[in-house]
Amino acid sequence: MTEPLLRVDGLKTHFLTRAGTVKAVDGVDLRLDRGEILGLVGESGSGKSVTGQSILGLVDPPGRVVGGRVLFQGEDLVGAGEKRLRAIRGRRIAMIFQDPMMTLNPVLSIGTQMVEAVRAHEAVSRAEAWERSRRALARVGIASPDERLASYPHQFSGGMRQRVAIAIALLHSPDLIIADEPTTALDVTIQAQILFEVQKLCHETGTALIWVTHDLAVVSALADRVAVMYAGRVVETGTVAEIIGAPRHPYTRGLLESVPSRNRRGVPLRSIPGMTPSVLDLPEGCAFRPRCDRPTAACTTMPELAGERDDRAWRCWNPVAAEVRGDAA
Amino acid sequence: MLVFILRRLAQSAVVVVAMSVLVFAGIFAIGNPIDVLISPEADEFERAAAIARLGLDKPMHEQFLRFVDSALGGDLGTSFVHGVPALGLVLQRFPATLELALCAMLVAVALGIPLGLWAGLKPDSLAGRVIMTGSILGFSLPTFWVGMMLIMAFAVTLGWLPAGGRGETASLFGVQWSFLTADGLAHLILPAVNLALFKLSLVIRLARAGTREVALQDYVKFARAKGLAPARIVGVHILKNIMIPVVTVLGLELGSVIAFSVVTESVFAWPGMGKLLIDSILQLDRPVVIAYLLVTVLLFVVINLIVDLVYSLLDPRIRLGGGRA
Amino acid sequence: MSSAVAKAPPVETPFLRLARDFARSRTALAGLAVLVLIVLAALLARWVVPQDPYDLAQLDILDGMMAPGSLGGSGWTYWLGTDDQGRDMLSAIVFGLRTSLLVGVVATLIALAVGVAVGLLAAYAGDRVDGLVMRLVDIQLSFPAILIALILLALLGKGVDKVIVALAAVQWAYYARTIRGSALVERRKEYIEAAQCLALPHRRIMMRHLLPNCLPPLIVVATVQVAHAIALEATLSFLGVGVPVTQPSLGMLIASGYQYMLSGDYWVSLFPGLALLVTIVAINLVGDRLRDVLNPRLNH
């Protein structure tokens, strides 16, 4: 087996607050090959965004990575110094955030924010950096880029700002882009355009992508593989077809059944009973147990992430049978 | 942008008119204008002549028009003590005060912004707490007492710096300035620091609050995700955002610094218009007091106008939005 | 705070809760203790200090300008030194505190009364009255307090009463604005509408319904303003336009030490200044804590 582009082993990110230790990420394992698109799925509070930020060491205090490894091309980023991380951020691993209204600095022009991103990693002239920025904007489908570079963020719509953020992420042709719900704040039509373009650009450049989202529909349209997170842990992972077609973890199945689908017309949508548990006081054992419709005595201890292959696994003592989906409910 | 400037100009004009009515009312309606405008040492004959000359026997609205007319012509009466036009006297002292006020602002910004940034980036560190305690003290300490203690420490006990006066000056644009000579600069340091103290505390608070807020914004995290150096993130991304409130408040505070220089000028015998005001009040030289008041009002209005324009230059959202409602 | 609508809420419970919240900050408690000591000393001045500094019969000119800790001719030690008249500085400071506190507190109370009346009226009357009053308040607040006080005193002349008037005139606008702000919020609430539907007299609605609900922010502003008033009075007296020499405040004492300071006799200015500083800091500590405790957003 070849060394994957990224391997996350037992990553733990905790927030040490006055109210107690919040274990936002508590033992996450992921792997990603070159050019692969991974959908990281979960409800809000499941730790998926913190996972994305932990990979690049961007978690703000009181949050801290307290354990595990993030192996990027064999190099552990958890132990890496700030200087080394800075050399990787934006150049080898880029990031796109959720709210495009907030990710661009309101008092700096787009050109300034792009040129500085180019020059942070390459000693090129301002003019050269400007030219690179211009091409990057054109590549994400922004018309009259020269004019746009002189503009300020508030003159752009949300979709346009997110395109700018994507253009910035692509400036150095990184090996990996971590996109944290980048389309959630956008209109549905724009969401579709951006999804399509990101997929196309990643395939063109061979960039791998981690797409953090709560939306299984988005993932199914975009990703190669999926990892489902619940309460700070990955509960199931597999290819899109496996996750959508034959979910094994009851939580994944619950998620799928709460999404409307053409194939299940007439079947009432289900919702998962209960609420995402507070990460401040998780139940002993399997965190999903209180909401699960099939808990057993075994569930009071934490199941391991295990399954057919390394990349087809689930964290459940009595998984849903592979063929259940579709006829029950 | 043009509409914005015009609208602000109109607003300023309204304030100036309102204030001149108030000043007029203060002298003519509340106080006895004869006391205010005619020297207490004048005899009966001079009084009668002056009343006729000033038109104090005319109806109120006519008097107001006369007042406005002569004020527009730059005539605000003659100083009882110095025997020269009051306005000229105030204006002649103005550069000294302006120099002191600007230096104080410079001190407040040059020290306050870095300290506030530091305290904002590391609020729980020892340095952060010390800075905040210092700024609370700065708000509590009465300016004049601090000034005296500065004189005691640095002039009397240590003998490093002069205790008062302007020192040697040099001429620039036909005006005498202290900051152009070494001796003048030495004289400037203590008063400038003294006057800056209050604003320094204010700048620290503003910068700290701004930094704490901005540092949590997504765009700061995005800037880090781009791989920018901390110096660039703090020095450009954070600094430019906190400068907007700081510049606004500081600009508005320039007026109050000029007013407060009354105190510092008295402590350090700095020959500015604040010292002139106190001397004039103590010597009952009222035309000078009126002249000072009108000059200050005008100054305030102009400062507010400039601050608004600078503000719109700093914040593109306002500049291109075509002005505020 | 909405429980205050009931006519006679159990008075102890909210007060005790406030007291408990307040006591949670040790700095604030220390500030309060110091403040109580200062007020007591000022009130009981005649009994706590060794001499009446303004009874000339008690002064010994031979004891003039003695350094702190010196033994005086009459046998006692001048712990804080003496001034040129042979006046014990400790006694002078305690008496000065009296004047400073008196001016600060009275001026604040007058300003509070005027400001509350004007602010409530503006908020209750609304529209044109409100617009006019608030424009006036804005114009006044756009000028520094010290400038307005200076000009007023230039017109009025010296005197404790005149300083009080000037300080009250400087301050009222803050209260007017503060109470108008909270009154406008309260006015839209249903209990006021209910009172209006009952056709209660306007005065009653304002005094019994609106005012009690607008008080908390006002208490905070007033506390801190006492400190401001004391500092401003000291400054004005230092500049020679404040209280008369016959009734010196701390500011006056500091000013009288100015000439001696240049020759190195620091104590005449230093100790009154420290007393002033301690008073102001103590008041501010208490005020800050009150603000935190009374702020409903932080309470829950």
Side-chain angles (χ1 to χ4, degrees):
Chain A
M1 196 173 88
T2 57
E3 179 69 20
L5 177 71
L6 178 80
R7 216 176 81 209
V8 176
D9 280 340
L11 181 70
K12 290 185 179 187
T13 303
H14 293 178
F15 287 74
L16 308 158
T17 69
R18 274 190 201 147
T21 301
V22 177
K23 299 175 176 175
V25 175
D26 201 25
V28 161
D29 307 308
L30 296 171
R31 59 166 291 153
L32 194 67
D33 286 320
R34 226 161 243 296
E36 195 175 34
I37 299 182
L38 172 74
L40 191 57
V41 182
E43 294 168 294
S44 23
S46 61
K48 57 192 192 303
S49 293
V50 178
T51 303
Q53 293 182 11
S54 302
I55 291 172
L56 267 181
L58 285 176
V59 181
D60 282 320
R64 211 156 62 84
V65 177
V66 294
R69 293 190 305 168
V70 173
L71 293 173
F72 179 68
Q73 296 181 328
E75 180 184 359
D76 188 2
L77 300 187
V78 169
E82 188 61 25
K83 204 173 164 201
R84 178 68 191 137
L85 280 174
R86 218 160 65 222
I88 291 172
R89 288 180 195 144
R91 184 185 181 91
R92 312 280 303 281
I93 307 177
M95 200 153 176
I96 307 170
F97 289 93
Q98 176 170 7
D99 188 351
M101 297 309 193
M102 302 301 300
T103 48
L104 296 172
N105 195 323
V107 299
L108 301 175
S109 72
I110 302 296
T112 306
Q113 299 189 51
M114 293 191 77
V115 166
E116 71 178 2
V118 174
R119 285 159 56 102
H121 297 292
E122 282 173 61
V124 295
S125 71
R126 206 165 280 278
E128 163 75 16
W130 186 272
E131 179 54 30
R132 292 254 300 265
S133 309
R134 219 177 60 80
R135 284 202 305 268
L137 281 187
R139 190 152 63 148
V140 295
I142 288 179
S144 52
D146 271 318
E147 203 177 299
R148 288 311 190 173
L149 279 174
S151 312
Y152 286 85
H154 71 274
Q155 294 165 288
F156 286 65
S157 67
M160 289 281 267
R161 289 194 210 187
Q162 204 57 293
R163 281 169 199 265
V164 172
I166 292 168
I168 291 176
L170 289 170
L171 274 174
H172 294 283
S173 311
D175 300 307
L176 170 63
I177 294 178
I178 301 170
D180 186 359
E181 305 214 40
T183 57
T184 313
L186 304 178
D187 290 346
V188 181
T189 46
I190 298 181
Q191 196 173 332
Q193 284 175 21
I194 296 224
L195 277 179
F196 172 72
E197 271 169 37
V198 167
Q199 196 172 23
K200 193 180 82 176
L201 289 167
C202 282
H203 282 153
E204 277 172 16
T205 54
T207 302
L209 182 65
I210 297 180
W211 192 276
V212 178
T213 181
H214 64 274
D215 190 344
L216 267 175
V218 166
V219 164
S220 63
L222 173 82
D224 305 316
R225 288 194 310 109
V226 178
V228 179
M229 280 190 71
Y230 187 80
R233 286 190 171 89
V234 173
V235 292
E236 183 165 7
T237 176
T239 65
V240 169
E242 285 164 342
I243 294 284
I244 304 283
R248 305 301 302 270
H249 197 282
Y251 175 64
T252 315
R253 192 191 56 177
L255 275 184
L256 284 164
E257 284 170 352
S258 61
V259 178
S261 153
R262 206 176 354 196
N263 305 333
R264 290 185 295 130
R265 191 169 291 198
V267 180
L269 287 179
R270 290 223 334 209
S271 64
I272 305 174
M275 290 195 351
T276 317
S278 158
V279 272
L280 261 177
D281 57 335
L282 286 176
E284 191 92 344
C286 173
F288 188 63
R289 178 167 51 93
R291 301 171 73 187
C292 189
D293 54 2
R294 43 200 290 155
T296 64
C299 299
T300 50
T301 53
M302 174 61 77
E304 286 303 304
L305 188 64
E308 301 158 7
R309 314 184 301 272
D310 251 12
D311 55 359
R312 177 62 189 130
W314 45 86
R315 194 186 281 277
C316 187
W317 290 116
N318 38 345
V320 185
E323 63 283 355
V324 163
R325 167 132 162 84
D327 43 57
Chain B
M1 191 66 191
L2 190 65
V3 179
F4 174 65
I5 293 175
L6 286 178
R7 195 188 303 154
R8 282 295 289 114
L9 275 175
Q11 280 172 10
S12 307
V14 170
V15 174
V16 171
V17 169
M19 283 313 294
S20 56
V21 171
L22 281 181
V23 169
F24 176 80
I27 311 162
F28 289 80
I30 299 170
N32 182 353
I34 297 171
D35 293 347
V36 178
L37 296 174
I38 302 170
S39 168
E41 280 112 51
D43 63 28
E44 206 54 36
F45 178 71
E46 283 171 352
R47 268 172 115 70
I51 288 173
R53 179 167 48 82
L54 294 168
L56 293 179
D57 45 356
K58 300 257 169 50
M60 204 56 107
H61 65 272
E62 247 178 71
Q63 287 192 33
F64 181 63
L65 287 180
R66 277 185 68 125
F67 167 77
V68 170
D69 189 47
S70 51
L72 283 178
D75 177 13
L76 295 175
T78 303
S79 162
F80 303 152
V81 177
H82 305 271
V84 295
L87 183 64
L89 201 58
V90 171
L91 290 180
Q92 186 202 330
R93 298 283 203 99
F94 177 63
T97 296
L98 186 70
E99 179 177 32
L100 181 59
L102 289 179
C103 285
M105 285 299 217
L106 196 69
V107 171
V109 173
L111 292 179
I113 288 185
L115 288 175
L117 262 178
W118 188 290
L121 289 173
K122 303 194 181 295
D124 296 321
S125 67
L126 180 67
R129 285 169 198 274
V130 169
I131 291 169
M132 276 319 283
T133 312
S135 100
I136 290 168
L137 266 186
F139 269 122
S140 299
L141 292 163
T143 306
F144 72 97
W145 187 68
V146 176
M148 289 172 64
M149 293 304 120
L150 285 176
I151 292 181
M152 242 205 34
F154 295 99
V156 178
T157 310
L158 296 172
W160 291 351
L161 292 165
R166 255 191 113 176
E168 209 177 300
T169 57
S171 174
L172 181 72
F173 306 125
V175 182
Q176 296 295 317
W177 303 97
S178 288
F179 73 94
L180 295 173
T181 69
D183 181 52
L185 265 183
H187 280 80
L188 194 52
I189 291 175
L190 285 184
V193 167
N194 180 223
L195 189 54
L197 204 69
F198 206 77
K199 301 305 158 197
L200 176 63
S201 306
L202 185 70
V203 173
I204 289 178
R205 284 195 171 195
L206 283 172
R208 175 177 178 269
T211 305
R212 291 194 72 175
E213 193 188 318
V214 170
L216 294 176
Q217 297 292 322
D218 269 3
Y219 56 76
V220 171
K221 192 167 268 194
F222 188 61
R224 287 175 64 204
K226 288 197 291 193
L228 300 185
R232 171 112 193 148
I233 293 173
V234 173
V236 176
H237 284 258
I238 293 181
L239 189 64
K240 202 155 178 207
N241 275 287
I242 66 167
M243 282 307 276
I244 292 169
V246 171
V247 165
T248 316
V249 173
L250 267 194
L252 294 171
E253 293 287 325
L254 178 60
S256 108
V257 171
I258 287 176
F260 243 92
S261 68
V262 169
V263 179
T264 299
E265 286 177 14
S266 297
V267 175
F268 290 91
W270 186 265
M273 61 179 193
K275 181 105 176 57
L276 177 69
L277 174 70
I278 291 299
D279 293 344
S280 303
I281 288 176
L282 296 179
Q283 294 165 329
L284 302 178
D285 193 352
R286 290 194 167 132
V288 180
V289 175
I290 294 168
Y292 174 90
L293 200 58
L294 281 179
V295 167
T296 313
V297 166
L298 207 61
L299 207 60
F300 268 53
V301 170
V302 171
I303 289 169
N304 286 359
L305 187 66
I306 294 175
V307 169
D308 267 13
L309 295 181
V310 171
Y311 186 67
S312 70
L313 283 181
L314 268 181
D315 192 338
R317 285 167 293 193
I318 291 176
R319 183 193 333 157
L320 299 149
R324 282 178 293 179
Chain C
M1 279 295 136
S2 60
S3 66
V5 186
K7 249 191 169 176
V11 181
E12 293 94 75
T13 325
F15 179 77
L16 274 183
R17 202 195 40 156
L18 277 187
R20 209 179 22 253
D21 280 356
F22 186 92
R24 239 181 264 149
S25 158
R26 273 194 213 157
T27 11
L29 267 187
L32 187 64
V34 170
L35 193 58
V36 168
L37 274 181
I38 288 174
V39 171
L40 278 181
L43 283 179
L44 307 174
R46 240 164 267 283
W47 294 278
V48 295
V49 297
Q51 69 170 206
D52 179 348
Y54 301 103
D55 178 3
L56 291 178
Q58 292 187 28
L59 301 186
D60 184 352
I61 198 82
L62 292 177
D63 284 356
M65 292 315 290
M66 293 183 90
S70 308
L71 193 66
S74 42
W76 70 61
T77 309
Y78 297 114
W79 290 111
L80 300 183
T82 62
D83 71 359
D84 52 344
Q85 309 278 319
R87 188 173 285 134
D88 173 39
M89 280 316 292
L90 178 64
S91 310
I93 287 171
V94 175
F95 272 75
L97 265 175
R98 259 168 99 90
T99 310
S100 290
L101 283 175
L102 174 83
V103 171
V105 171
V106 175
T108 303
L109 287 180
I110 294 176
L112 191 64
V114 175
V116 164
V118 173
L120 267 187
L121 217 63
Y124 196 77
D127 289 346
R128 234 176 272 167
V129 181
D130 187 38
L132 190 71
V133 171
M134 284 306 128
R135 185 55 54 87
L136 201 67
V137 166
D138 282 345
I139 291 184
Q140 171 162 353
L141 288 181
S142 71
F143 289 91
I146 187 160
L147 199 59
I148 297 171
L150 264 178
I151 299 302
L152 276 177
L153 285 172
L155 284 174
L156 296 172
K158 272 191 179 187
V160 172
D161 50 342
K162 284 157 186 156
V163 173
I164 290 178
V165 168
L167 291 182
V170 162
Q171 287 184 54
W172 72 276
Y174 295 103
Y175 303 112
R177 185 193 263 178
T178 310
I179 195 156
R180 172 184 171 268
S182 39
L184 278 185
V185 176
E186 293 295 326
R187 208 171 83 100
R188 288 198 202 93
K189 291 195 180 157
E190 280 158 18
Y191 70 89
I192 296 294
E193 277 176 27
Q196 282 171 330
C197 287
L198 288 173
L200 293 179
H202 290 316
R203 210 167 60 104
R204 192 182 159 82
I205 297 179
M206 275 199 267
M207 297 307 289
R208 299 298 295 272
H209 295 258
L210 210 44
L211 184 58
N213 285 293
C214 301
L215 271 181
L218 219 57
I219 294 172
V220 174
V221 176
T223 318
V224 178
Q225 279 300 319
V226 171
H228 279 210
I230 289 176
L232 191 51
E233 181 277 323
T235 305
L236 292 169
S237 295
F238 170 79
L239 292 175
V241 295
V243 297
V245 258
T246 49
Q247 209 175 345
S249 64
L250 291 176
M252 197 82 196
L253 290 177
I254 299 172
S256 67
Y258 184 67
Q259 45 181 321
Y260 303 110
M261 195 190 62
L262 292 179
S263 52
D265 298 335
Y266 60 90
W267 58 89
V268 186
S269 283
L270 178 70
F271 295 122
L274 286 179
L276 184 63
L277 175 64
V278 170
T279 310
I280 293 173
V281 170
I283 295 176
N284 281 341
L285 285 178
V286 172
D288 274 2
R289 186 63 193 162
L290 275 182
R291 183 183 53 211
D292 293 348
V293 172
L294 287 175
N295 189 344
R297 278 180 305 170
L298 295 175
N299 254 352
H300 300 292

